[in-house]
Amino acid sequence: MLTNVDDMRTSDSKGRISSQALILTVTNLIISLIGLLSSMLLSRYRTLDEYGTYSQVIMVTELVSTVLLMGLPQTVGYFLSRAENEEEKKRFFTLYSILSTLVTAVIGICLFLATPLIVAYFNNPYITAFSYVFAVYPWSSIMINTLSSVLVVYGRSGKLACFTLIHSLTTLLTVILTVALSVEFERYVLIYIITTAVFAVVAFTLCALRVGGFSLSGKMGSLLREVFAYAIPLGLASSVGSVNIQLDKLFIGTMFSTEEYALYMNASRALPITALATALTSVLLPKLVVLLKKEKNEDAVTLWGSSIKMSYIVLCALVGGIIVFAPDAMSLLYSEKYVTEASVAVFRIYAVTMLFSVTYFGIVLNSKGRTDLIFISALASLLTNCVGNFVFYHLLGFIGPAVSTLLVTALIALLQLFATSKVTGVRLSKIFPFWDLARYTLEVGAACGVLAIVKYTLLKDAQGTTSILISLAMGLALCLGYWLLKKRALAESFSHLNEFKEVSDDEEKKNS
């Protein structure tokens, strides 16, 4: 998260932070929808074994890459932002390019050689057919992500939006053509990896052109030490967080079949319904940094609370609809073959977990520079989730890891709120709008109860497409109705956020 803050500061200095945040949020929402559509097509037209194997290969590659890169990708925004001249930027980018290429090459070779171990872990010999992915995908992935950081630093969110949209649409087109032409799954994966590699080369070229080329002048040794000093702590926290996010899938992968892994993978997939929360968090981060630096702790947490209430009103209604109409939602998204009693239960549990995406609970700690507390909470989350996965698996079976994820997510959020209270000196009841969110939850819950009775008693005979259309109509009515009911609360929160912007502008004028 520190990298994001630094990127935001750079953008803020140019007076474009809000517009950049909104551009990136809208872009990310579109990309998420395109990615979801790709997953929908693959889920429908590929077997559970094929889709499960593909998911296992990508998950292992991304997880190992995150752990072994040790925070290197997060250094881009920080070092490019703090560079005093173009020569320093070129020196850093040269060092970064060398390091990232060497590390991803090692990752690729190690994963390729470890293919037999990965096959044994998942008990899935089919993984062998895709072992080349391990060698190519790590470098491709990091270079595409690097372009995002570079363009944000230089305030080129529009160009980033164009690149990412073209990349996502190309990926979707690849899926559509392979499905339409009945291309074998192995050939589809090969085409996908080649396409990704091509975009990675383009991304690297654009980065080099944006930075202005390469330079080996100056004290590269001291710069290397600075990069490691910054990257390693972030890498540790990022690694712990990544392992924790994938822990339930790693557990399911070794305890159940590839087909069951495919069911769990799609049931636990994050849905693109947190765009508002992401936008508000992005815009809020630099403003909280300013307030907390001036020791205006109560103003900071009040502003944060307004953003939380606005996000939760929108998110709670969406999650409520997903929970009530979960079987039809899964059927619409991934096809009927993914709808089982266990997978629907996992889908509903993860829908509840998405409520904790209403905000970034470590935002104040991050803004105060207390990344040590964020790392401790991440480590505590991982250790607790390890125990929780084991315990709840034996108690509940297939849905156990999902229950563990939900409980640990709630626990760590609460711990970060306690830590925020201690760091800021503000009472916990003032930091987080518990009662308002509880009231919103009860209101949506009551409405969902009525809809559930209607759907599963009066309309229980509806099947297939008819059932899905009924669920869509009722879900849309729930969301629009609740948002209209809460338009005053939404307007008040929005007004408070705007008031802060006006005050900030006035202060800046006085200071200038």
Side-chain angles (χ1 to χ4, degrees):
M1 293 298 298
L2 278 178
T3 303
N4 292 336
V5 175
D6 294 321
D7 289 347
M8 294 297 177
R9 286 175 180 170
T10 302
S11 301
D12 196 25
S13 66
K14 297 178 181 178
R16 292 194 293 265
I17 178 171
S18 298
S19 60
Q20 285 209 61
L22 289 174
I23 289 172
L24 292 177
T25 300
V26 172
T27 303
N28 287 335
L29 176 60
I30 295 172
I31 291 169
S32 297
L33 291 172
I34 293 173
L36 182 60
L37 183 56
S38 297
S39 297
M40 290 169 62
L41 290 172
L42 287 175
S43 300
R44 278 171 163 73
Y45 298 105
R46 298 301 178 186
T47 66
L48 288 171
D49 186 58
E50 288 175 335
Y51 189 77
T53 301
Y54 166 81
S55 300
Q56 288 170 347
V57 170
I58 297 298
M59 186 268 288
V60 168
T61 307
E62 291 181 345
L63 179 60
V64 173
S65 296
T66 300
V67 172
L68 295 184
L69 281 167
M70 288 303 295
L72 186 60
Q74 287 97 319
T75 63
V76 177
Y78 178 76
F79 282 94
L80 286 181
S81 298
R82 71 195 292 266
E84 296 181 357
N85 52 57
E86 294 302 314
E87 184 64 25
E88 287 189 7
K89 291 180 180 180
K90 288 191 285 187
R91 279 204 304 131
F92 165 75
F93 184 70
T94 301
L95 179 62
Y96 173 82
S97 300
I98 295 171
L99 285 176
S100 58
T101 300
L102 288 175
V103 175
T104 52
V106 171
I107 292 171
I109 293 170
C110 290
L111 282 174
F112 183 81
L113 295 176
T115 300
L117 296 177
I118 299 170
V119 168
Y121 179 86
F122 289 106
N123 191 26
N124 183 9
Y126 193 32
I127 289 176
T128 305
F130 308 105
S131 57
Y132 64 89
V133 176
F134 297 135
V136 180
Y137 191 74
W139 184 84
S140 300
S141 179
I142 191 176
M143 285 305 148
I144 291 174
N145 290 332
T146 297
L147 179 63
S148 299
S149 299
V150 170
L151 291 182
V152 166
V153 168
Y154 281 90
R156 298 293 185 267
S157 298
K159 290 184 178 180
L160 175 58
C162 290
F163 178 86
T164 51
L165 285 173
I166 291 172
H167 181 208
S168 298
L169 289 171
T170 301
T171 302
L172 177 60
L173 182 61
T174 301
V175 175
I176 292 173
L177 289 177
T178 52
V179 169
L181 300 175
S182 300
V183 176
E184 294 180 354
F185 186 66
E186 290 87 346
R187 185 164 295 181
Y188 158 73
V189 174
L190 178 60
I191 295 171
Y192 169 73
I193 294 300
I194 292 174
T195 302
T196 303
V198 170
F199 272 95
V201 172
V202 173
F204 179 73
T205 303
L206 291 175
C207 287
L209 291 173
R210 183 71 264 176
V211 174
F214 305 93
S215 175
L216 290 171
S217 62
K219 298 179 180 179
M220 299 298 284
S222 60
L223 178 58
L224 180 63
R225 287 191 293 271
E226 288 182 46
V227 169
F228 282 152
Y230 181 84
I232 290 175
L234 284 178
L236 289 172
S238 180
S239 298
V240 169
S242 296
V243 172
N244 192 33
I245 291 171
Q246 303 294 351
L247 188 63
D248 55 344
K249 300 174 185 65
L250 288 169
F251 196 85
I252 292 293
T254 191
M255 300 301 294
F256 294 89
S257 67
T258 303
E259 290 81 1
E260 289 170 311
Y261 179 88
L263 293 175
Y264 192 96
M265 185 69 187
N266 272 351
S268 63
R269 184 181 298 277
L271 299 176
I273 63 172
T274 59
L276 178 60
T278 302
L280 289 174
T281 299
S282 299
V283 173
L284 207 59
L285 268 168
K287 300 185 185 301
L288 291 184
V289 170
V290 173
L291 285 172
L292 293 167
K293 185 177 180 180
K294 296 178 180 179
E295 299 297 327
K296 295 183 178 181
N297 295 344
E298 291 204 10
D299 289 344
V301 297
T302 301
L303 186 67
W304 184 31
S306 294
S307 72
I308 291 171
K309 285 188 281 188
M310 179 186 291
S311 297
Y312 197 82
I313 289 172
V314 174
L315 186 61
C316 190
L318 290 168
V319 168
I322 290 171
I323 292 173
V324 172
F325 307 113
D328 284 333
M330 287 198 72
S331 182
L332 173 65
L333 292 172
Y334 309 120
S335 81
E336 189 69 28
K337 65 186 175 185
Y338 282 84
V339 182
T340 67
E341 184 176 347
S343 66
V344 169
V346 171
F347 188 71
R348 282 177 165 143
I349 292 168
Y350 269 92
V352 177
T353 305
M354 280 192 289
L355 289 175
F356 291 92
S357 299
V358 68
T359 187
Y360 169 42
F361 284 87
I363 189 171
V364 173
L365 297 176
N366 205 341
S367 300
K368 292 282 284 186
R370 295 302 305 271
T371 52
D372 57 327
L373 295 177
I374 294 174
F375 172 69
I376 290 171
S377 65
L379 188 59
S381 176
L382 175 60
L383 295 175
T384 307
N385 208 8
C386 284
V387 176
N389 268 277
F390 182 80
V391 171
F392 285 104
Y393 162 71
H394 286 284
L395 289 175
L396 303 172
F398 186 75
I399 69 171
V403 173
S404 175
T405 297
L406 172 60
L407 295 178
V408 170
T409 300
L411 175 63
I412 297 305
L414 188 59
L415 288 177
Q416 289 186 336
L417 289 177
F418 274 114
T420 299
S421 176
K422 185 176 180 179
V423 167
T424 59
V426 180
R427 293 200 312 272
L428 186 63
S429 59
K430 283 191 173 183
I431 285 179
F432 197 78
F434 290 103
W435 297 115
D436 289 313
L437 268 56
R439 185 173 74 254
Y440 301 153
T441 303
L442 289 174
E443 290 169 350
V444 172
C448 287
V450 174
L451 292 178
I453 292 172
V454 173
K455 178 68 170 65
Y456 297 110
T457 56
L458 300 179
L459 302 174
K460 64 180 180 180
D461 294 330
Q463 301 292 328
T465 303
T466 302
S467 179
I468 291 174
L469 291 175
I470 290 173
S471 294
L472 283 173
M474 294 176 75
L476 183 62
L478 167 68
C479 292
L480 293 179
Y482 189 70
W483 295 338
L484 287 173
L485 182 67
K486 289 296 175 183
K487 63 180 181 181
R488 182 175 179 179
L490 288 169
E492 288 177 353
S493 295
F494 184 77
S495 176
H496 186 216
L497 294 174
N498 277 344
E499 284 173 8
F500 172 80
K501 183 179 185 300
E502 291 170 5
V503 171
S504 297
D505 291 340
D506 291 340
E507 287 181 354
E508 288 178 3
K509 289 178 181 178
K510 289 178 182 179
N511 292 334
S512 61

